[in-house]
Amino acid sequence: MHSTDDQPILTVRGLTKSYNKLHVIKGVDLDLHRGEVLAIIGPSGSGKSTLIRCLNLLEIPSAGEIVYNGRSVENRFQSRGGNIGCGELRRHVGMVFQHFNLFPHKTVMQNICEGPIAVLKEPRAEVEARAMELLGKVGLLDKRDAYPNHLSGGQKQRVAIARALAMRPDVLLLDEVTSALDPELVGEVLQVIRLLAHDGMTMAIVTHEMAFAADVADRVAFIDGGVIAEVGTAENVIRNPSSDRLRAFLSRFNA
Amino acid sequence: MPYKWDFNTVLQYWDLFAWGLWLTFAYTLGSIVVGVVIGMVICFGRLSRFRLISGLSRAYQEVFRCTPLLVQLMWFYYALPLLIGVTIENYVAAMLTLSLYAGSFYSEIFRGGILSIDKGQTEAAKAIAMSDRQVMWRIIIPQAFKRVLPSFINQSVIQFKNTSLISVISVGELAYMAAVVNGQTYRPLEAFTIVALLYFIVLFPMTQAADYVEHRMRVSD
Ligand SMILES: Nc1ncnc2c1ncn2[C@@H]1O[C@H](COP(=O)(O)OP(=O)(O)OP(=O)(O)O)[C@@H](O)[C@H]1O
Ligand SMILES: [Mg+2]
């Protein structure tokens, strides 16, 4: 199957998600193109996390379609026919969490190598060399043998990013990755993400850092009440919001 | 007049004590090993999404946790043979009952350990494309193992003591031997004191170990 440059790597059509009677995502269409950085902003409880977690099937959508690289995503682990299962999908679509979720019983190095070795079955030496490169990139070469509970929040999150990158994903999903950090540690993590954006990594980033979003994102989507209320260039959405809701939301961050 | 201790008479039967202690160890270790296997099977049974499997596992747990071990022993030795028409040797009944009993408690300890691991761990493991089985064995169980170690040791200490109950179906473990020696010497104070001491000498280091592990975990968390 060939993919042209204008074919989105990830497509979402008519996505909905409900928890029992609670409708959280009420019909979302979204395209993510190769090399694009999409920021997702919106008020608390608007469904940002739910949406981004649907993209790697950590949440099972109630309805709608997700297409990865031209292949329809199916809610099962194995891929089947032309469709792609969540097992294969997650090899290509990595995720970084608000609360890091590093494996506490493994060292930094083991955290990073776990996926490529256990899942991708790549040779250890090769994986470890790549892990060292990634540790250099996130500035933590000296922490390779440390356990997560000996790291600061900012260091943990940089390891978590390296762990996701070790899978060599095509897309990276980031859900409020600086929200659990002390203010003085936010910068070092954002800096790593800027670097990734600069290297052309495709990313969907849920964030409350408006200045950062405006700066790094190619497009910004404003989610409100489970729908994408506004989407466009950072310039348009953050600097010149068209709706009152978005203006009111943005006014809370003096961005 | 103060009691005149006479350990010498009783210690003439040291070989009975030694043999009893050996059997106590054998039954304890054997039932712990089998109990751990049963406990793991039942633990996964309870975590199964199939209602029938989780229901049956639950029923097993409750039956063995909510009836006294002594009654279970007598049921398997005296009652079950009537039901199946085959006599069961006392050592078979003892081993079987001790293992089933241990398994019911271990399964609940294991389940508690697995459920105590943060959901974020499962999500992070899934996010690097692990299968459910890999998530369980590579991420959840190694962490749960450490966490259940103190409870596991404590339950095993109880198991060691519970082994004394199989004396009622005439298995010659340590407590049974105390009664035998008492019958021979009419020296209950010495005989039962020695046996109590033997239990204590074995188990005290175990409870200390459990405390130590628990303390270490609190520090490292
Ligand atoms: N597992 C769940 N069960 C029931 N309701 C849920 C569940 N997960 C999320 N919700 C609800 O869905 C809504 C959207 O939650 P979501 O976490 O996606 O919001 P969010 O935009 O990420 O908010 P925040 O900025 O606070 O992280 C909330 O009302 C939340 O209570
Ligand atoms: Mg959220």
Side-chain angles (χ1 to χ4, degrees):
Chain A
M1 185 173 305
H2 80 284
S3 73
T4 56
D5 276 345
D6 54 342
Q7 181 192 31
I9 182 121
L10 208 55
T11 307
V12 176
R13 289 289 174 267
L15 186 79
T16 70
K17 173 69 183 178
S18 319
Y19 298 104
N20 298 316
K21 289 267 169 317
L22 181 68
H23 302 294
V24 177
I25 301 294
K26 302 171 183 164
V28 163
D29 298 332
L30 199 63
D31 290 326
L32 195 59
H33 292 269
R34 275 182 198 280
E36 183 180 38
V37 176
L38 171 74
I40 300 171
I41 62 172
S44 184
S46 57
K48 305 180 297 295
S49 294
T50 307
L51 171 62
I52 203 172
R53 289 158 56 85
C54 279
L55 297 184
N56 69 347
L57 253 60
L58 278 187
E59 299 288 349
I60 309 303
S62 304
E65 195 185 24
I66 298 172
V67 178
Y68 172 79
N69 207 12
R71 298 164 72 193
S72 199
V73 175
E74 226 182 320
N75 175 27
R76 59 207 303 282
F77 191 77
Q78 303 289 348
S79 299
R80 181 174 58 180
N83 292 349
I84 182 171
C86 67
E88 194 182 340
L89 177 75
R90 289 169 186 159
R91 295 177 178 208
H92 303 292
V93 180
M95 184 170 237
V96 184
F97 301 86
Q98 179 174 357
H99 295 287
F100 331 124
N101 300 342
L102 293 179
F103 306 131
H105 59 304
K106 293 181 184 291
T107 63
V108 164
M109 193 66 174
Q110 290 167 335
N111 264 275
I112 297 172
C113 296
E114 181 70 9
I117 290 177
V119 177
L120 303 179
K121 314 281 188 220
E122 294 178 354
R124 176 176 297 273
E126 203 174 287
V127 173
E128 284 182 348
R130 196 159 81 230
M132 289 304 283
E133 239 169 76
L134 286 168
L135 277 175
K137 206 165 178 175
V138 300
L140 289 171
L141 273 174
D142 54 326
K143 297 294 182 188
R144 53 170 290 174
D145 295 319
Y147 281 90
N149 57 0
H150 293 287
L151 303 179
S152 74
Q155 293 171 331
K156 283 181 194 170
Q157 197 58 293
R158 286 184 279 153
V159 173
I161 291 171
R163 176 177 67 181
L165 292 175
M167 298 287 289
R168 286 188 283 203
D170 294 324
V171 181
L172 204 54
L173 310 172
L174 302 100
D175 187 5
E176 292 197 37
V177 296
T178 58
S179 295
L181 298 179
D182 292 336
E184 75 269 21
L185 302 178
V186 168
E188 63 191 55
V189 172
L190 294 185
Q191 192 48 41
V192 168
I193 301 171
R194 275 203 184 86
L195 226 88
L196 292 178
H198 184 260
D199 290 350
M201 175 61 84
T202 312
M203 290 186 279
I205 307 178
V206 173
T207 184
H208 287 296
E209 303 282 337
M210 290 309 141
F212 170 72
D215 177 28
V216 81
D218 302 301
R219 271 193 313 153
V220 177
F222 172 59
I223 300 210
D224 194 18
V227 297
I228 294 183
E230 233 168 286
V231 61
T233 62
E235 185 62 24
N236 280 337
V237 174
I238 294 183
R239 304 282 179 228
N240 306 300
S242 61
S243 68
D244 289 341
R245 289 280 300 178
L246 179 50
R247 236 182 317 257
F249 171 74
L250 287 172
S251 71
R252 270 176 279 149
F253 313 82
N254 0 345
Chain B
M1 193 177 90
Y3 183 80
K4 236 176 101 37
W5 293 85
D6 175 14
F7 279 104
N8 283 340
T9 313
V10 170
L11 282 176
Q12 282 172 358
Y13 294 91
W14 68 270
D15 53 334
L16 289 187
F17 289 120
W19 183 245
L21 189 60
W22 153 244
L23 279 188
T24 290
F25 266 110
Y27 278 94
T28 303
L29 292 180
S31 64
I32 286 176
V33 169
V34 182
V36 163
V37 174
I38 295 175
M40 274 165 43
V41 171
I42 297 300
C43 165
F44 288 126
R46 282 241 20 211
L47 295 171
S48 166
R49 56 175 170 266
F50 298 109
R51 279 278 181 73
L52 182 69
I53 295 176
S54 65
L56 285 175
S57 308
R58 176 90 198 259
Y60 160 79
Q61 285 182 322
E62 298 307 341
V63 165
F64 280 90
R65 292 195 308 160
C66 299
T67 53
L69 177 55
L70 188 58
V71 173
Q72 293 168 20
L73 274 167
M74 295 195 288
W75 193 88
F76 275 95
Y77 186 53
Y78 297 114
L80 184 60
L82 298 178
L83 214 55
I84 58 175
V86 182
T87 58
I88 298 178
E89 299 292 340
N90 62 349
Y91 61 89
V92 176
M95 197 53 210
L96 185 68
T97 314
L98 286 175
S99 301
L100 289 169
Y101 180 83
S104 69
F105 281 91
Y106 287 147
S107 64
E108 204 47 22
I109 290 173
F110 297 161
R111 192 177 73 102
I114 286 173
L115 292 179
S116 77
I117 303 303
D118 183 55
K119 259 187 60 198
Q121 292 293 306
T122 302
E123 294 183 349
K126 284 183 172 179
I128 51 172
M130 282 193 187
S131 64
D132 287 348
R133 176 174 299 210
Q134 285 179 314
V135 174
M136 187 53 86
W137 286 98
R138 300 189 68 93
I139 304 301
I140 305 299
I141 288 183
Q143 294 181 55
F145 178 83
K146 257 180 73 182
R147 204 167 286 186
V148 304
L149 207 50
S151 323
F152 176 79
I153 297 176
N154 282 326
Q155 187 60 43
S156 303
V157 166
I158 295 174
Q159 184 72 5
F160 193 95
K161 293 187 289 185
N162 276 342
T163 305
S164 62
L165 289 174
I166 64 179
S167 59
V168 299
I169 56 173
S170 305
V171 177
E173 48 65 71
L174 191 53
Y176 184 86
M177 291 309 187
V180 169
V181 172
N182 176 42
Q184 299 284 323
T185 61
Y186 303 108
R187 287 257 162 214
L189 200 47
E190 287 83 353
F192 289 112
T193 301
I194 285 174
V195 163
L197 270 175
L198 286 173
Y199 276 110
F200 186 85
I201 289 167
V202 172
L203 292 180
F204 182 66
M206 298 275 288
T207 59
Q208 295 308 103
D211 286 354
Y212 175 74
V213 171
E214 201 161 9
H215 174 73
R216 282 259 326 247
M217 271 171 34
R218 251 203 308 279
V219 174
S220 75
D221 270 353

